Amino acid sequence: MHTKEEKLEAFGRLLDVLDTLRVKCPWDKKQTNESLRANTIEETYELCDALLKNDKKNICKELGDVLLHVCFYAKIGSETGDFDIADVCQQLTDKLIYRHPHVYGNAKAEDSKTVSENWEQLKLKEKDGNNRVLSGVPESLPTLIKAYRVQDKARNVGFDWEDKGDVWAKVKEELGELEVELRKENKERSMEEFGDFLFSLINAGRLYHLNPDTALEMTNHKFISRFNYIEDHSIKIGKPLKDMTLGEMDALWNEAKKAEKDN
């Protein structure tokens, strides 16, 4: 691994290259916060995909792409005179020190749960911090992640199940209410109850330390892999998927499952 001096040199080289591109490259020159935003979201998801696959090579690559965006926004901030990368680093460092009084102060925190609870309480006390418990959850977060975050933030102030096993009664209750509305064919109420049911499932996942977004993405990958197995077979025998029976597809699906276990 590299020394601290080598790391600082590499970071400085990145900033120098970005300064040059901002002046000499027509594409880089015309970028704004607004134009970069969509690309930032895409790069973040690509990093998340690499992390989920534990693809070390691509994790490194995608971290670089995300870092480029951080530096680019800081560069734009320096051009408008609002802030630069030093301000970004200093503000982050000050926040980390302030929110870790058990390391930099006299507070006690023996486990990660206490650290997380203290973190949320300190955020509420900050001068420019969020003045409500849930106000720090970004509006634009994907809904699955947002549900997990609002539940987790509520937990940090004591709003949570005393016994995590009790959550299953709530899950069953919400499923029952959904089934009632589905039988009535009430679309509006069914949608509401479906949301409540999903929210309760996410809550259960949180209590058992199962991230719903990660779990669902793993299932997406599994479904895609198994479905591709069926499609590959249909191509191999020259029989379109739409001409295959459900029984044939189910048999191939089970073959794909068995192949996964054997590998």
Side-chain angles (χ1 to χ4, degrees):
M1 288 291 99
H2 298 90
T3 65
K4 184 176 181 180
E5 289 73 22
E6 288 171 332
K7 293 172 185 176
L8 291 172
E9 182 182 354
F11 189 56
R13 180 169 174 250
L14 169 61
L15 296 179
D16 289 342
V17 168
L18 183 57
D19 286 345
T20 300
L21 293 177
R22 187 67 171 163
V23 173
K24 296 185 177 181
C25 173
W27 186 90
D28 289 274
K29 188 186 300 185
K30 74 173 194 176
Q31 296 311 306
T32 64
N33 287 339
E34 292 74 20
S35 68
L36 285 171
R37 180 179 177 275
N39 287 342
T40 304
I41 294 171
E42 181 180 340
E43 297 295 355
T44 303
Y45 274 105
E46 288 179 357
L47 171 59
C48 291
D49 190 46
L51 290 167
L52 189 61
K53 294 175 181 175
N54 197 28
D55 184 341
K56 303 294 176 57
K57 182 178 179 181
N58 270 322
I59 289 173
C60 182
K61 172 183 173 295
E62 299 303 341
L63 278 171
D65 290 343
V66 172
L67 178 59
L68 171 60
H69 281 247
V70 172
C71 294
F72 214 138
Y73 290 120
K75 175 64 178 174
I76 293 171
S78 71
E79 292 168 352
T80 59
D82 295 309
F83 60 87
D84 61 19
I85 193 66
D87 295 310
V88 173
C89 293
Q90 294 289 9
Q91 192 172 107
L92 172 59
T93 304
D94 290 344
K95 180 170 68 176
L96 288 173
I97 292 171
Y98 174 73
R99 293 189 187 172
H100 289 80
H102 54 288
V103 176
Y104 296 98
N106 299 318
K108 301 294 182 184
E110 302 299 332
D111 53 52
S112 60
K113 181 175 181 291
T114 305
V115 172
S116 182
E117 290 172 352
N118 290 345
W119 180 283
E120 293 299 331
Q121 291 299 320
L122 287 167
K123 284 177 71 174
L124 292 173
K125 292 178 182 178
E126 290 173 9
K127 181 180 177 182
D128 298 321
N130 306 305
N131 56 14
R132 289 189 176 272
V133 174
L134 302 181
S135 60
V137 179
E139 291 267 339
S140 58
L141 265 185
T143 52
L144 197 67
I145 299 173
K146 184 188 290 187
Y148 188 93
R149 289 295 293 134
V150 298
Q151 292 170 2
D152 199 44
K153 281 183 171 290
R155 173 191 65 83
N156 285 325
V157 293
F159 190 74
D160 203 4
W161 300 90
E162 291 185 3
D163 183 343
K164 64 183 180 182
D166 293 341
V167 73
W168 296 111
K170 185 62 175 176
V171 172
K172 292 172 184 175
E173 175 191 328
E174 297 296 353
L175 177 58
E177 292 175 0
L178 170 60
E179 289 175 334
V180 168
E181 297 304 329
L182 288 171
R183 283 193 293 270
K184 293 179 181 177
E185 297 186 356
N186 186 325
K187 179 88 178 275
E188 185 176 340
R189 288 288 298 152
S190 293
M191 184 72 76
E192 182 181 336
E193 295 299 342
F194 188 51
D196 290 347
F197 174 59
L198 289 175
F199 195 83
S200 68
L201 272 180
I202 292 168
N203 210 357
R206 176 186 62 81
L207 288 164
Y208 285 86
H209 308 292
L210 303 171
N211 186 289
D213 187 69
T214 301
L216 185 57
E217 185 60 9
M218 289 171 67
T219 297
N220 286 339
H221 280 261
K222 185 165 56 179
F223 183 92
I224 291 168
S225 175
R226 292 176 184 175
F227 192 84
N228 285 344
Y229 182 92
I230 297 172
E231 190 170 24
D232 287 343
H233 183 79
S234 77
I235 294 170
K236 183 179 179 180
I237 64 174
K239 187 175 185 179
L241 284 171
K242 61 183 179 61
D243 293 337
M244 295 179 71
T245 66
L246 183 57
E248 288 175 313
M249 287 191 280
D250 278 341
L252 289 167
W253 181 274
N254 289 329
E255 281 184 21
K257 284 178 65 175
K258 185 177 184 303
E260 289 170 7
K261 292 178 182 178
D262 293 340
N263 288 337

